[in-house]
Amino acid sequence: KSANGSALINYILPFNDKFKLETGYQGIYRKIDNDFKINNYDFLSNSYLIDTNSINHFIYTEKINAVYATLSKEWESISMQIGLRLEQANTTADQKTQLKTFDNNYFSIYPTLHISKKLPNKNEMQFSYSRRVNRPSIYDLNPFKDYSNPLVINYGNPYLKPEYINSFELGHTKYWDKRSFYTSVYYRQINDVIKRISYLGNDGISYMTNENLSKGTSYGVDFILEQEIAKWWRINANFSYFRTLIEGNSVDGNISTDNYSWTSKLNSNMTLMKNLNIQFSANYRAPIVTPQGKMFETYSADIAVKKDFMKDNRLSVSFRVSDIFNTQKFDMEAFGNNFYSTMTRKRQSQSAFLTLSYKINGGLKQKPKKKIVEGNGGGSDEGEF
C-alpha cells in the first residue's frame, strides 16, 4: 500500500510580452508500505501457516521540498531560458523485518539553460544544459534477500545514493515546406551511477544487488527526420550513434567498460480515409555494454488502427497489436571473478488491444500543463547507460 501527496504553488510575473519570470514551490510526499508474506498449507494442522523465512516488511518514506525560478527572454531571433531549482530531500528506508532503519537526507541544486537562435533560410540552432537526478527505487533499496530462486539471490542496497546527470546538447534544425531535419551532438555524465552488480559467493551461489559506481559517460550524435510523403502520410525517423563508458569499484572488483552502439526508430502515420488512421512503429537497439558484460540487440514493431464514427467523431474504435512479429526479447551475458553467465528474458510482449470510446458533449478539454524546472528526472535515456 502507498500514500502520496503533493503541493504546488506557481507564480508568473510578465515584465512584457517577451520577458517573464516564473517561480514557485513544490512539495512531494510519498510513503510505500510493502508487507510481503507467504502462507503455506500445513496438512498436519489443516491450516495455513506463515513462512517465517519469506516475511518482508519494508517501509519507504520520501519527503521533497523545492523552490524554483525560471527567467525567459525573447529577442528578434534569439530566445533564452534560465532556470534554477533548490531541493531538500529526506528519505527513510525502514526494514522492519530486520529491525534496521536507514536515513538519507540531501540538498541538491539543479540549474538549466536553453538558448535558441533563428538563422536565415529556415535554419535554427539550439543549445541546452541541464542537471537532473535519478533516485533509487524502493526495490533498489530493500536489503531483504529474495530466495525465490535458490541459485540467484537478489537483494537491494539501502546505502544507495541518487545518481546525478549533467547533460549538454548542441543542435541544428533545417526546415522545408514538408520536411524538417534535426541534428545534434550531446555529452552526458552521470555521477554515482546506479547499476546492478553480480558476484559469486563463497557458498557457490550467485548474488545480485545494486551499487553506486563512480561515474558513467555517454556522448554521440542524433538525427531526426520528419517527412510528409503525401497529404495522408507522415513519417518520423530517428537514428542515434553513441559511445558509453562506465567505471568504478564494486563488490566484484574494479569495473571499466567501453562500447560504441546505436539505436533507430521509425514512426509512420497514415490517414487513408477521412476518419481512418493507421500508425506503425518499429525500433532497434544494437548491443550495449553493462558493467559486467553486455546486452544483445533487441527489436520490435507495433501497429494500430483507429476509426471514428458519428457526427463530430464522437465514437472511436481502435485496434492495436504490440510486437507484431513477436521478436522482442532481452539476451545478456555477464562475467566477473570466477563466474560467467548468460540470461534470456522473454515476456508476453505480443498482445492485442480493442478500445471503444464515446465523447459526451464534445469531450472535456484539458487545460495545458505549466512547465516548471524539475530536478526529479526519470530514468536514463535508452542506450545511455
Side-chain angles (χ1 to χ4, degrees):
K1 57 185 177 180
S2 63
N4 298 280
S6 63
L8 177 64
I9 301 174
N10 196 63
Y11 176 73
I12 299 176
L13 175 62
F15 300 104
N16 54 50
D17 292 341
K18 296 185 178 181
F19 188 28
K20 69 177 181 179
L21 172 67
E22 182 175 0
T23 185
Y25 161 82
Q26 185 180 33
I28 299 173
Y29 173 81
R30 184 167 63 124
K31 182 178 181 180
I32 301 176
D33 189 337
N34 191 342
D35 192 0
F36 180 80
K37 297 177 182 178
I38 293 180
N39 293 321
N40 294 323
Y41 187 78
D42 182 64
F43 290 94
L44 295 178
S45 62
N46 196 29
S47 63
Y48 284 94
L49 302 178
I50 295 178
D51 184 354
T52 56
N53 293 323
S54 301
I55 296 176
N56 177 16
H57 192 187
F58 184 71
I59 300 176
Y60 178 72
T61 306
E62 181 179 76
K63 301 176 183 177
I64 298 174
N65 291 280
V67 292
Y68 59 88
T70 303
L71 193 64
S72 302
K73 173 67 175 176
E74 293 183 17
W75 291 271
E76 183 176 347
S77 62
I78 299 176
S79 62
M80 181 174 66
Q81 185 181 82
I82 301 175
L84 184 67
R85 177 183 171 102
L86 307 178
E87 180 185 276
Q88 175 65 43
N90 299 315
T91 66
T92 300
D94 187 3
Q95 176 48 261
K96 290 188 171 297
T97 304
Q98 301 174 345
L99 301 178
K100 295 180 180 180
T101 302
F102 309 88
D103 294 319
N104 186 17
N105 304 322
Y106 52 94
F107 176 78
S108 304
I109 300 175
Y110 304 99
T112 60
L113 173 63
H114 301 279
I115 301 175
S116 177
K117 168 67 174 176
K118 294 181 180 178
L119 301 173
N121 301 319
K122 296 184 178 180
N123 289 274
E124 186 175 345
M125 295 290 297
Q126 305 94 18
F127 171 79
S128 65
Y129 163 74
S130 64
R131 184 176 191 258
R132 67 181 190 272
V133 62
N134 286 333
R135 310 181 203 279
S137 70
I138 180 175
Y139 304 103
D140 297 330
L141 295 168
N142 192 344
F144 186 83
K145 293 182 178 180
D146 179 8
Y147 290 94
S148 58
N149 183 346
L151 299 179
V152 182
I153 309 300
N154 287 273
Y155 64 97
N157 179 3
Y159 298 101
L160 280 179
K161 297 180 291 184
E163 57 181 27
Y164 293 94
I165 304 109
N166 289 288
S167 178
F168 300 84
E169 185 169 350
L170 178 64
H172 169 262
T173 306
K174 170 63 177 176
Y175 299 95
W176 292 269
D177 292 338
K178 298 181 180 181
R179 182 189 313 122
S180 67
F181 187 68
Y182 176 75
T183 308
S184 70
V185 294
Y186 66 86
Y187 174 86
R188 301 185 185 112
Q189 182 181 29
I190 296 185
N191 297 318
D192 296 321
V193 57
I194 298 174
K195 282 299 176 183
R196 199 79 169 157
I197 301 297
S198 301
Y199 65 94
L200 188 66
N202 295 328
D203 51 7
I205 296 176
S206 296
Y207 293 85
M208 297 183 67
T209 188
N210 304 286
E211 290 194 19
N212 288 111
L213 303 182
S214 59
K215 67 177 182 179
T217 304
S218 178
Y219 57 87
V221 293
D222 281 334
F223 303 97
I224 302 175
L225 172 67
E226 292 190 6
Q227 174 71 54
E228 180 183 308
I229 298 178
K231 290 184 178 181
W232 51 271
W233 188 11
R234 296 186 63 90
I235 64 168
N236 179 291
N238 176 290
F239 176 82
S240 179
Y241 183 78
F242 54 89
R243 182 186 185 188
T244 302
L245 302 98
I246 304 173
E247 60 184 58
N249 297 317
S250 74
V251 66
D252 194 52
N254 294 330
I255 288 176
S256 179
T257 59
D258 188 351
N259 171 247
Y260 289 89
S261 188
W262 60 277
T263 64
S264 62
K265 298 178 182 179
L266 175 66
N267 292 289
S268 170
N269 193 324
M270 295 180 287
T271 304
L272 299 182
M273 297 189 306
K274 182 179 180 181
N275 298 318
L276 177 63
N277 182 265
I278 299 177
Q279 294 181 345
F280 173 82
S281 63
N283 64 82
Y284 175 88
R285 190 201 66 206
I288 58 173
V289 295
T290 63
Q292 296 174 291
K294 71 176 181 179
M295 294 184 63
F296 294 90
E297 69 273 3
T298 181
Y299 46 92
S300 63
D302 302 339
I303 191 169
V305 180
K306 179 183 178 183
K307 182 73 171 71
D308 295 325
F309 300 92
M310 302 179 63
K311 185 179 179 180
D312 299 328
N313 300 328
R314 288 179 179 270
L315 177 65
S316 297
V317 179
S318 61
F319 180 71
R320 179 171 68 91
V321 179
S322 64
D323 194 15
I324 55 180
F325 302 113
N326 199 25
T327 58
Q328 189 180 70
K329 65 176 182 176
F330 302 91
D331 297 329
M332 65 178 299
E333 65 177 9
F335 50 85
N337 292 326
N338 301 319
F339 81 90
Y340 172 82
S341 66
T342 60
M343 182 184 73
T344 296
R345 181 163 59 93
K346 180 74 173 76
R347 62 182 182 181
Q348 184 57 48
S349 57
Q350 194 174 38
S351 305
F353 306 85
L354 179 64
T355 305
L356 284 80
S357 63
Y358 181 79
K359 299 177 183 178
I360 300 176
N361 294 331
L364 296 176
K365 295 183 179 179
Q366 293 184 347
K367 294 182 179 180
K369 294 183 179 180
K370 296 182 180 296
K371 240 182 182 180
I372 62 175
V373 180
E374 286 287 353
N376 189 23
S380 302
D381 295 340
E382 182 182 8
E384 185 178 319
F385 294 103

